[in-house]
Amino acid sequence: MSVSGSPTSPLRVAIIGSGPAAFYAAEHLLKQTDVPVQVDMIERLPTPYGLVRGGVAPDHQKIKSVIRIYEGIAKHSAFRFFGNLELGRDLGVEDLPAYFHQIVFATGAQTDRHIGVPGEDLRGIHSATEFVAWYNGHPDFRDRTFDLSAERAAIVGVGNVAIDVARILLLPHSERVITDMAPYALDALSASQVREVSMLGRRGPAQAAFTNLEIKELGPRIDGDVVVTPEDVELDPLSAAEVEAGGRIVKEKVEILRHYSTAAPSGKPGRLFVRFLVSPVEFLGDERGRVRAVRLERNVLVRDEGGGAACRGTGRIEELPVELVFRSVGYKGVPLAGVPFDERRGVIPNDHGRVLEAAGGAPVRGLYATGWIKRGPTGVIGTNKADSIETAKLMLADAAQGLSLEPTSPAPQAFETFARGRQPRLVTFEDWLALDRIEIERGAPLSRPRVKFTTVEDMLAALAD
Ligand code: NAP
């Protein structure tokens, strides 16, 4: 078996997806000098950057500025971007071994989890992920509608996505207009009647999934008060022990929540109720099939098998009137045809990034995974760097041992010709940079970071001009 990757025949790598994990994998592969590598990044949209463009909140521009680093990676002479090329539509996984030694899946977690209670399909109940993609102008979600004439909304889950949704709903409009939120979302939110938002945590404050920075910035930023009841921040013995053992960060989280619980009302119009130890057990609808309330069961914490804190219902039920609901209980990966998939975990089964035939099974030669499709939907953008370095190192080690695919057409031009045959409207990185410039130019007179294109047709039309 020959070693893959030499100056005359570089290691040809296809990366599927163009979010942070994809770029960090490309960065590591292109930065090292032991093995000559060429990277082709395949992205189904004409725009790169995955959740940085379509997931990170539009009022978190500082986080979004990480794209300038990715831009630097894309400038490497051995990097090519194949935008508007969709695996499963324009080409299949089975087409790739003819052109590449290695294939890396960095496809993220494209759908969301369900709660699994009656009434979850009522009108007015949405996933947070679709709302986030909608206000961020993702072409697949731009036509979704949300009834923002509702006054009371609930968000199930207390992670950072729940916080983003709560903040965007209650942000003063003057703050929304200076973001790169999609224009249609800006219009819809300007007419929003939502005044009360309840974020519902099934466990206690010590177990809340949000991070301290995110919960702390809510109070000053929203056009309303963060309301936490003092009883909700009283710690049961299990939580007290967790806080004690958890160190500074958990202690600070509980302190922030306690601070909210004692704060005097500011007079601002909105209310964000952050609730703990409650689980939705049923959504109730009106005669038109629209959600009108959620039945919540009070929980207590019990020790789970791993020694952590799990919630158990007490049978005590309350009814919370709401006309709009977002479930924000985590993202979930989707399977790709021809690639092993672990349905239970929603990830590609893998061993530190080497794709396996099934969980615990043998490695599949030449296939790798990184990011959320590798480890599940956890961590912040930077978490993907270490994750992708781990995968990239294994790829280089496998290449050194000749454990790669054996492409029959490894010349870069061969894949480009094939890809153009399947998708004549390929979008290159140069094309994306042109779109980027237009978006930024459109935003400048409005003091907005950019005005996004939100349909693929508009993007392609702008490139054809
Ligand atoms: P997450 O952090 O995993 O939070 C999910 C939330 O849903 C948790 O509160 C969880 O409670 C709850 N939940 C799960 N199943 C439930 C059920 N059946 N009923 C009620 N509640 C349920 O997920 P996420 O908010 O989607 O965020 C995904 C990742 O992106 C996270 O790592 C997050 O930090 C990151 N992110 C970061 C930022 C930022 O840095 N600003 C912004 C957005 C997202 P339990 O804890 O009890 O399971």
Side-chain angles (χ1 to χ4, degrees), residues 115 156-161 164 202-203 207 209 214 328-331 372 377-380:
I115 307 164
V156 183
V158 287
N160 281 336
V161 170
D164 280 347
R202 62 178 171 179
R203 297 189 291 159
Q207 295 83 27
E214 276 61 30
S328 184
V329 297
Y331 286 75
W372 278 6
T378 60
V380 293

Side-chain angles (χ1 to χ4, degrees), residues 359-431:
V364 183
R365 180 183 288 246
L367 300 195
Y368 301 86
T370 187
W372 278 6
I373 199 65
K374 169 186 174 185
R375 67 174 193 277
T378 60
V380 293
I381 291 172
T383 315
N384 294 297
K385 186 158 181 167
D387 199 20
S388 288
I389 290 174
E390 178 185 61
T391 296
K393 280 185 171 166
L394 289 184
M395 291 167 66
L396 295 168
D398 287 352
Q401 292 193 42
L403 293 172
S404 304
L405 300 166
E406 293 173 17
T408 48
S409 306
Q413 188 53 45
F415 179 67
E416 186 172 346
T417 304
F418 167 78
R420 285 200 186 279
R422 293 296 178 89
Q423 173 52 277
R425 315 277 320 253
L426 279 184
V427 173
T428 64
F429 205 76
E430 282 303 308
D431 291 337

Side-chain angles (χ1 to χ4, degrees), residues 293-367:
V294 51
R295 296 181 75 230
L296 296 174
E297 181 173 17
R298 190 84 197 157
N299 294 328
V300 287
L301 291 178
V302 291
R303 209 175 279 285
D304 67 16
E305 284 165 8
C311 58
R312 194 178 63 200
T314 60
R316 274 167 54 206
I317 302 286
E318 69 172 284
E319 207 174 289
L320 179 71
V322 285
E323 299 89 37
L324 181 64
V325 175
F326 297 99
R327 52 168 196 274
S328 184
V329 297
Y331 286 75
K332 189 170 187 279
V334 294
L336 282 159
V339 183
F341 193 68
D342 180 339
E343 283 290 349
R344 193 181 59 80
R345 292 191 54 220
V347 299
I348 296 175
N350 70 90
D351 180 12
H352 296 88
R354 283 192 185 106
V355 173
L356 303 176
E357 283 169 357
V364 183
R365 180 183 288 246
L367 300 195

